[in-house]
Amino acid sequence: MPPIHSLDDLVELVSTELARGDLSAAATALASAPLPDLAVLLERLPARDAGVAFRLLPKDEAMTVFERMDAPAQREVVTQLSDADVARVFAELDADDRVALMDELPAKIAKRLVQELPADERGETAIILGYPVGSVGRRMTPDYVHVYAHELVGVALERIQQRGGDAETIYTIPVVDDGRRLLGVVSLRELFFASPHDAVEAHMATALYAHADDDAEVTARTLVDRGVLAMPIVDREERLLGLLTGDDAHRMVEAARDEDEAHAGASEPLRRPYLTTPVFAVVRSRVVWLFVLAISAILTVSVLELFEATLEQQVALALFIPLLTGIGGNTGSQAATTVTRALAMGEVRPRNAWPVALKELRTGIVLGISLGAVALAVATFFYGVGIGTVIGLTLLSVCTISATVGGVMPLVAKSIRVDPAVFSTPFISTFCDATGLIVYFSIAKSVLGI
């Protein structure tokens, strides 16, 4: 077997051996790779090859690798397994990972798999399924170990040792009272080095926590930004329900970033790695946005028809249309992207619409003055002071309007419970093109007297 120097080498080698039908060589290659690489490998292989590679893994390794994979990739692997294998894999998943996979499976299959679970696992899964889609309660793990504030450190460590094997993480431990109300957190390191005769509350720290119905993405970003390993999740009475772990939070933030980047580029995020995604899936991720943008183009054409007489009298105006619509759209998109990120980070809320509008208004004015001054000088040199004045004033107006609208649109989308990244892109493209042209020709008619 040739030496494997990178993950790309491993993917190519496994793909080659599976294509040749040499399962023994493929299994040998898989055995030489670390577990994190195996998860990425299965995500990058076509569905059929991923299913075969999964079955070649030792059973104890297979579940660890499966849990590290994204839910869409898990679904692809599941479709290649027998019913018995699917039931076994489903039962061995943690409850939160099980629910994430269920969201990817057809409803009938998901329902059948839940019914085949043992009673205790079915109960844990049902609890998580009871929370709204998109809430952190649906992404928390109910498999955790807790300690009591009043008990001794030695007793707490014994409980951790007895029950920690079933917990998803033991490095951040919630501290509760007898009513299971969250009082704080304590690290395993702190307990390990403390005196066994100390009370746990003497080493307890203030907990960073979230409520089960809070937004999952916002909570995950908070956890990642604060650099904590896990965050307790509580109900409205502050009773402990579960934990959001750091690895789950990082996956959620990464998935949200990929989705926002795709929406900013007027497409939907791909559910599989690019090279293994079917062509029709790539088409589906782009075609809806192209239709939306085509509609906006039709509206732009309608505006041009309204000012056709103006163009006939001053043909030079047509030369600057791409410049003005392009700057307007980009200015609006920049503002929308900035505010959308601020929303995701929890830095602004829909109630901050007025301060955001004022900030972007001032930003647009400064941008408009800067760009307009340059355009005024260049256009005046080539086309005369009249055209130069029109272009300068239009850029000032367009930048101001586009920045203000682009900054406010994500807040409007959030307030009506629509994804800001989805809503903002087509709206800004349509609004900035049409409004920019109306402003342009109105200024031209006024300044040039046509």
Side-chain angles (χ1 to χ4, degrees), residues 4-62:
I4 299 174
H5 301 291
S6 68
L7 180 58
D8 289 337
D9 293 338
L10 177 63
V11 173
E12 183 177 354
L13 177 60
V14 173
S15 298
T16 300
E17 300 300 349
L18 291 178
R20 291 170 49 195
D22 192 341
L23 299 184
S24 176
T28 301
L30 292 169
S32 66
L35 290 180
D37 284 358
L38 289 175
V40 179
L41 166 70
L42 292 183
E43 290 177 348
R44 291 174 58 176
L45 288 174
R48 180 179 176 279
D49 288 349
V52 174
F54 179 78
R55 289 193 293 270
L56 292 176
L57 296 173
K59 286 188 177 181
D60 56 339
E61 285 189 8

Side-chain angles (χ1 to χ4, degrees), residues 165-179:
D166 296 327
E168 192 162 333
T169 181
I170 60 171
Y171 300 109
T172 298
I173 303 169
V175 182
V176 300
D177 62 14
D178 291 333

Side-chain angles (χ1 to χ4, degrees), residues 119-182:
D120 57 338
E121 297 287 347
R122 188 164 61 247
E124 282 189 351
T125 304
I127 291 173
I128 295 179
L129 282 172
Y131 295 104
V133 175
S135 68
V136 71
R138 207 172 174 93
R139 304 303 300 269
M140 69 180 181
T141 174
D143 298 324
Y144 62 90
V145 59
H146 65 275
V147 295
Y148 294 97
H150 59 74
E151 69 184 349
L152 299 179
V153 168
V155 176
L157 286 173
E158 288 181 9
R159 177 183 294 104
I160 295 170
Q161 188 174 23
Q162 292 170 0
R163 305 180 183 179
D166 296 327
E168 192 162 333
T169 181
I170 60 171
Y171 300 109
T172 298
I173 303 169
V175 182
V176 300
D177 62 14
D178 291 333
R180 295 182 68 84
R181 283 186 291 272
L182 180 69

Side-chain angles (χ1 to χ4, degrees), residues 329-383:
N330 286 332
T331 302
S333 296
Q334 287 176 338
T337 300
T338 302
V339 176
T340 298
R341 175 168 175 76
L343 270 173
M345 300 295 292
E347 297 171 357
V348 297
R349 297 284 185 271
R351 64 175 179 269
N352 302 129
W354 182 243
V356 169
L358 286 178
K359 189 178 188 69
E360 290 299 332
L361 175 68
R362 296 195 299 269
T363 302
I365 290 173
V366 174
L367 288 171
I369 291 174
S370 303
L371 295 172
V374 174
L376 171 62
V378 174
T380 298
F381 180 79
F382 287 102
Y383 297 97

Side-chain angles (χ1 to χ4, degrees), residues 70 265 368 377 441:
D70 293 332
F441 288 116

